[in-house]
């Protein structure tokens, strides 16, 4: 799959928010692994489509991607620093001597420092007064699914053995990068420390799936619950809740639990939980059930594939 989120959704950069939403919904129907169990590539396509949609549906992250500030995975792109960034900084010692203007050596300011130092610090340049900000350091943090959805506190161990606290924001997404100010490499001289850039790797969950701010769940129900209807317990990311199974429910029917999805900071509305029903036969089919269904079939014949076959032939 391409790493360009627009190309993944079959769009161009001129696409509107409505275009993005329509393209995503169309592609989900053709790539969702639960709907295409025999397609080995469906899961990979679905993940790429979901990641592209998550990035482009948010106007802020879309604008940052278009501006080149983040990549297709939502990770910060390293900022390029040039000689002029240092040479034109207020109070920078480079401005005290000759050879640091627009005609200086922009390829490597440190090479120029060494040359000046080798000449005995001429032109008033003192290498001991050099200051520069520390380097940003990048790390990857594996985050449990529920901690990403609900928010939480974790710690990451640094190479030298120390560790720093990382606050996982509510609704954090896979590939999102957190910036911890001043937690990177130490600065030179009076320069400030760099930042720590923490890229989150959200782990899959055995029960829940995420689509934007919505949580997806496949809920097994029995034959009698499907036919007669029932109240059953269903898990959500905040704990189990009671769900009403309507009478005559079929596999594939989706129930919407409003406000049971992922919430965002700042009091924004939470997403929903979408519960897809799946009828599961009992582990043991006894004689009574077989006899009952045999007699019932004789007078209640029903072909649920009739319309499908007609549509397939047109």
């Amino acid at each position: 799959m391409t790493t360009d989120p627009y190309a993944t959704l079959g769009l161009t950069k001129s696409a509107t928010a409505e275009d993005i939403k329509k393209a995503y919904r169309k592609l989900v129907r053709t790539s969702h692994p639960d709907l295409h169990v025999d397609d080995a590539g469906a899961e990979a396509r679905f993940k790429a489509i979901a990641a592209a949609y998550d990035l482009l549906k948010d106007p802020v992250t879309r604008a940052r991607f278009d501006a080149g500030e983040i990549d297709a995975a939502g990770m910060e792109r390293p900022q390029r620093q040039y000689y002029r960034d240092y040479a034109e900084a207020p109070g920078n010692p480079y401005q005290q001597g000759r050879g640091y203007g627009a005609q200086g050596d922009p390829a490597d300011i440190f090479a120029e420092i060494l040359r000046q130092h080798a000449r005995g610090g001429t032109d008033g340049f003192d290498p001991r007064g050099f200051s520069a900000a520390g380097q940003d350091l990048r790390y990857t943090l594996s985050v449990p699914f529920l901690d990403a959805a609900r928010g939480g506190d974790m710690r990451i161990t640094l190479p030298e053995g120390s560790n720093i606290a990382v606050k996982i924001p509510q609704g954090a997404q896979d590939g999102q990068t957190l910036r911890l100010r001043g937690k990177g490499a130490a600065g030179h001289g009076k320069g400030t420390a760099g930042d720590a850039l923490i890229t989150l790797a959200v782990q899959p969950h055995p029960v829940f799936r995420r689509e934007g701010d919505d949580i997806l769940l496949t809920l097994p129900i029995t034959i009698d619950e499907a036919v007669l209807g029932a109240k059953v317990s269903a898990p959500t990311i905040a704990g189990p809740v009671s769900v009403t199974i309507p009478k005559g429910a079929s596999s594939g029917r989706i129930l919407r639990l409003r406000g049971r999805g992922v919430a965002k900071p700042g009091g924004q509305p939470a997403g929903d939980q979408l519960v897809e029903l799946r009828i599961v036969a009992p582990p043991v089919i006894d004689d009574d059930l077989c006899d009952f269904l045999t007699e019932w079939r004789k007078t209640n014949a029903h072909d649920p594939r009739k319309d499908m076959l007609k549509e397939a032939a047109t």
Side-chain angles (χ1 to χ4, degrees), residues 67-143:
E69 297 177 6
I70 58 176
D71 61 18
M75 293 175 32
E76 300 281 346
R77 293 186 184 274
Q79 295 183 351
R80 298 180 62 187
Q81 293 185 325
Y82 300 92
Y83 163 77
R84 185 171 296 176
D85 296 335
Y86 294 96
E88 296 181 355
N92 197 296
Y94 299 149
Q95 297 176 341
Q96 298 174 3
R98 297 190 301 272
Y100 297 98
Q103 302 303 317
D105 180 7
D108 191 348
I109 62 172
F110 297 105
E112 185 65 25
I113 294 172
L114 294 176
R115 285 195 293 271
Q116 291 283 2
H117 184 54
R119 292 199 294 265
T122 58
D123 297 330
F125 176 76
D126 182 3
R128 292 171 298 178
F130 168 68
S131 295
Q135 183 181 10
D136 290 345
L137 301 180
R138 293 181 175 271
Y139 304 96
T140 299
L141 179 61
S142 179
V143 181

Side-chain angles (χ1 to χ4, degrees), residues 143-154 166-173 176 178 200 202 210 237 261-265:
V143 181
F145 183 95
L146 292 179
D147 285 344
R150 300 185 300 207
D153 296 305
M154 299 184 67
V166 180
K167 185 172 183 61
I168 309 300
Q170 191 175 37
Q173 300 189 29
Q176 180 177 345
L178 307 180
L200 307 182
V202 179
R210 181 173 173 180
I237 59 173
V262 178
K264 290 185 177 181

Side-chain angles (χ1 to χ4, degrees), residues 10 41 46 59-60 74-75 78 84 103 115 120 130 134 154 156 167 171 183 210-211 228 234 237 244 282 294 298 306:
F46 177 73
V60 175
M75 293 175 32
R84 185 171 296 176
Q103 302 303 317
R115 285 195 293 271
F130 168 68
M154 299 184 67
I156 187 168
K167 185 172 183 61
K183 298 298 184 179
R210 181 173 173 180
E211 188 176 293
L228 304 176
I237 59 173
T244 299
T294 299
K298 292 177 181 178
K306 181 178 180 180

Side-chain angles (χ1 to χ4, degrees), residues 109-309:
I109 62 172
F110 297 105
E112 185 65 25
I113 294 172
L114 294 176
R115 285 195 293 271
Q116 291 283 2
H117 184 54
R119 292 199 294 265
T122 58
D123 297 330
F125 176 76
D126 182 3
R128 292 171 298 178
F130 168 68
S131 295
Q135 183 181 10
D136 290 345
L137 301 180
R138 293 181 175 271
Y139 304 96
T140 299
L141 179 61
S142 179
V143 181
F145 183 95
L146 292 179
D147 285 344
R150 300 185 300 207
D153 296 305
M154 299 184 67
R155 303 192 75 85
I156 187 168
T157 302
L158 305 183
E160 68 271 17
S162 61
N163 59 73
I164 54 177
V166 180
K167 185 172 183 61
I168 309 300
Q170 191 175 37
Q173 300 189 29
D174 184 53
Q176 180 177 345
T177 298
L178 307 180
R179 182 182 292 272
L180 305 184
R181 301 285 182 184
K183 298 298 184 179
H188 301 281
K190 295 182 180 180
T192 58
D195 301 335
L197 302 178
I198 314 295
T199 299
L200 307 182
V202 179
Q203 300 304 300
H205 194 276
V207 172
F208 301 114
R209 305 184 304 279
R210 181 173 173 180
E211 188 176 293
D213 295 331
D214 292 339
I215 295 294
L216 281 62
L217 169 75
T218 299
L219 184 67
I221 60 173
T222 63
I223 295 175
D224 57 293
E225 290 169 344
V227 173
L228 304 176
K231 283 188 176 294
V232 301
S233 182
T236 72
I237 59 173
V241 297
S242 179
V243 174
T244 299
I245 306 300
K247 184 177 180 179
S250 299
S251 284
R253 181 165 182 175
I254 295 178
L255 308 180
R256 183 180 294 271
L257 307 183
R258 298 198 178 276
R260 293 289 182 177
V262 178
K264 290 185 177 181
Q268 299 183 57
D272 302 331
Q273 177 162 309
L274 304 180
V275 179
E276 181 181 1
L277 303 180
R278 185 180 67 187
I279 300 173
V280 178
V284 177
I285 307 297
D286 59 27
D287 293 339
D288 289 341
L289 180 59
C290 288
D291 293 342
F292 169 76
L293 290 177
T294 299
E295 292 301 317
W296 181 88
R297 179 188 290 177
K298 292 177 181 178
T299 56
N300 296 274
H302 170 63
D303 185 358
R305 297 165 296 280
K306 181 178 180 180
D307 292 338
M308 176 187 292
L309 293 170

